[in-house]
Amino acid sequence: MNLIAHFDEIFLKGNNQKLFIECLKNNLCALFPGTKVKRIEAGLWIENFQETDILRLALVPGVANFAIAFTCELDIEKIRNAIVDYDWGVDISTFRIKAERSDKRYPLNSIQIEKQLGSDINKKFGYKVNLNKADLTIHINIGSEQAIIFGNQFTGAGGLPVGSSGKVMCLLSGGIDSPVAAYKMMTRGAEIELVHFQNQTQVTEEVSQKIMDLAAVLARYHGKINLHIVPFAQWQKQIVINIPSDYRMLLTRRIMLKIADKIAKKQKCLALVTGDSLGQVASQTLENLTAVYQSVETLKLSPLIGENKLSIMTLARQLNTLEISNRPYEDCCSLFVAKHPQTKARLKDVVGLENRLDLSTIDKTEYISYHIGM
Ligand code: ATP
Ligand code: MG
């Protein structure tokens, strides 16, 4: 099938619009092999698209909406025949026609086109016109060489295409939040890489599989993703031995940021991204986030900071990460879950405790990198 896709924010990009559109075109070609994508006056024309990929397209950053579409010669009689012969689907009782002219030289204006064709649709199918809330909107876009005709539009993710605003390193745990945070950055145009710290737990294998599966889901909307897995058992040991239980989580997160920062620099990522959401758990109070984020100078971004859990879960469900995140394997052992975790850490205390750890090995951290496809 063929589709017409539109953008939203890309339109605000003035002279740079072309670059953003080119980026989106390339992303679509890579994500949906076998399709052909070209820029037309009305948006992007996608040929040879597989119906089974529609839900996935709805989550590709940069596509604001799209519809199944067909072309027709500019002749009004031919357009009329095309729309009355088309199967517009079931459960329709009201409709409207929305004509738009990308090429204003066309002899009929939009209102004339809508009026002429509206009565034909009404006669053929018996649908009633409703301009405010129609079951079906038939769009007719008059271009300079052809008309493009399409029905109801699917809503897309919108925003900016992946790769149009630089690269970030996302800290991916096995939880619900961090994959959603990574996706949010994608819709702002960021290319992402992922880093996971592999704790020693009773289910390390299962957690690793979870991480691979989460990365593969994100790759379905992003394209291939670099995933770096860092063994963390030695750090866990050091932290349990040297740090009182109420501070362990905070020190853990500071060390994670330091190591993530090394990898980020090597991979030319300009920011570190976490799934923190203010107040969600003990480690995410303003005091604690201050103490954790001070660990490295690099820009830290937390796109979920102002989101509530329910909206994060809704997006996780749409993305198909929720089911994976909900697998019952924790990436953290019980020694790190304090009965009374510190909620108002003082930076001074945290830095003092950190001096008990041997930070000299951070530079030599070994990790394994994977290139995860969808
Ligand atoms: P999530 O659902 O993303 O795990 P959470 O609410 O469980 O979040 P924490 O466990 O406190 O919160 O983690 C906060 C953030 O720290 C995570 O969103 C993630 O970005 C990062 N993080 C935590 N554990 C790991 C890990 N093992 N590897 C990589 N990043 C981690
Ligand atoms: Mg977690």
Side-chain angles (χ1 to χ4, degrees):
M1 60 174 53
N2 298 335
L3 304 179
I4 172 98
H6 299 105
F7 355 95
D8 46 15
E9 264 190 73
I10 293 180
F11 274 124
L12 305 175
K13 293 296 170 191
N15 290 340
N16 288 330
Q17 220 186 74
K18 260 201 175 137
L19 289 174
F20 284 82
I21 294 172
E22 203 52 35
C23 178
L24 180 57
K25 253 176 69 177
N26 292 338
N27 292 353
L28 291 172
C29 289
L31 288 170
F32 305 101
T35 58
K36 229 172 92 186
V37 185
K38 64 180 179 202
R39 174 80 171 113
I40 55 171
E41 291 146 309
L44 282 183
W45 182 252
I46 308 175
E47 271 175 23
N48 207 14
F49 192 83
Q50 303 297 316
E51 196 176 346
T52 47
D53 278 329
I54 281 184
L55 289 179
R56 185 154 70 91
L57 178 62
L59 288 161
V60 172
V63 176
N65 60 59
F66 61 93
I68 300 164
F70 57 95
T71 56
C72 179
E73 283 174 50
L74 285 171
D75 181 86
I76 192 74
E77 283 309 315
K78 294 211 165 121
I79 294 176
R80 187 193 316 277
N81 291 337
I83 65 171
V84 297
D85 286 344
Y86 191 73
D87 175 8
W88 292 104
V90 289
D91 288 338
I92 298 163
S93 54
T94 55
F95 83 106
R96 66 171 184 164
I97 294 194
K98 205 165 167 237
E100 232 170 306
R101 296 178 308 162
S102 300
D103 185 341
K104 305 279 186 228
R105 291 171 305 180
Y106 199 67
L108 299 172
N109 68 28
S110 306
I111 295 173
Q112 289 167 326
I113 299 170
E114 287 169 5
K115 278 202 174 137
Q116 288 203 15
L117 300 177
S119 65
D120 295 305
I121 289 285
N122 171 266
K123 266 187 226 139
K124 166 83 194 275
F125 298 102
Y127 306 156
K128 296 260 175 317
V129 174
N130 185 331
L131 296 182
N132 298 319
K133 202 171 169 291
D135 298 328
L136 167 70
T137 301
I138 300 175
H139 300 259
I140 296 164
N141 194 294
I142 304 290
S144 47
E145 280 162 20
Q146 58 184 5
I148 291 175
I149 300 169
F150 54 98
N152 289 339
Q153 290 164 297
F154 294 85
T155 304
L160 302 173
V162 167
S164 61
S165 37
K167 194 160 66 162
V168 297
M169 182 64 72
C170 301
L171 283 80
L172 183 73
S173 69
I176 293 171
D177 305 321
S178 45
V180 176
Y183 177 76
K184 283 264 193 183
M185 292 308 300
M186 284 160 52
T187 65
R188 300 311 308 148
E191 183 184 349
I192 63 166
E193 297 207 6
L194 303 171
V195 56
H196 174 71
F197 296 89
Q198 191 173 47
N199 288 312
Q200 180 86 49
T201 72
Q202 283 171 345
V203 287
T204 304
E205 267 304 301
E206 285 84 348
V207 174
S208 297
Q209 190 57 52
K210 215 175 168 181
I211 296 300
M212 295 279 182
D213 292 349
L214 287 171
V217 170
L218 290 172
R220 288 166 57 77
Y221 318 116
H222 176 281
K224 285 197 166 176
I225 299 184
N226 287 332
L227 164 67
H228 311 283
I229 305 255
V230 184
F232 207 64
Q234 290 308 319
W235 284 106
Q236 282 178 288
K237 265 189 214 146
Q238 261 206 72
I239 289 170
V240 170
I241 293 169
N242 295 293
I243 308 293
S245 65
D246 54 341
Y247 275 91
R248 281 178 195 157
M249 195 57 95
L250 298 181
L251 271 297
T252 300
R253 298 212 43 211
R254 279 179 67 95
I255 301 296
M256 285 182 183
L257 280 182
K258 286 185 200 297
I259 298 172
D261 192 39
K262 297 280 173 210
I263 306 175
K265 293 221 163 81
K266 195 160 166 238
Q267 297 301 115
K268 300 200 163 47
C269 297
L270 292 181
L272 301 171
V273 177
T274 76
D276 291 313
S277 165
L278 185 61
Q280 196 195 85
V281 291
S283 59
Q284 296 168 13
T285 61
L286 288 178
E287 289 86 350
N288 288 1
L289 290 174
T290 304
V292 170
Y293 286 7
Q294 188 269 351
S295 172
V296 292
E297 275 184 13
T298 303
L299 177 65
K300 276 83 49 182
L301 297 172
S302 326
L304 306 183
I305 201 73
E307 298 282 342
N308 64 47
K309 191 78 190 187
L310 280 183
S311 62
I312 298 171
M313 286 173 72
T314 302
L315 186 48
R317 195 172 291 118
Q318 272 172 18
L319 292 172
N320 286 315
T321 56
L322 185 65
E323 207 181 314
I324 303 171
S325 297
N326 273 340
R327 289 182 201 158
Y329 311 117
E330 284 304 321
D331 75 320
C332 185
C333 77
S334 55
L335 287 172
F336 284 79
V337 185
K339 249 201 185 130
H340 301 290
Q342 185 52 249
T343 53
K344 290 192 177 351
R346 282 191 306 190
L347 182 58
K348 201 170 80 212
D349 299 341
V350 172
V351 173
L353 287 170
E354 196 172 79
N355 287 332
R356 297 184 187 176
L357 304 174
D358 174 13
L359 302 181
S360 67
T361 57
I362 284 184
D363 275 337
K364 291 174 244 144
T365 302
E366 290 190 3
Y367 56 92
I368 306 171
S369 300
Y370 300 88
H371 200 46
I372 307 278
M374 42 186 174

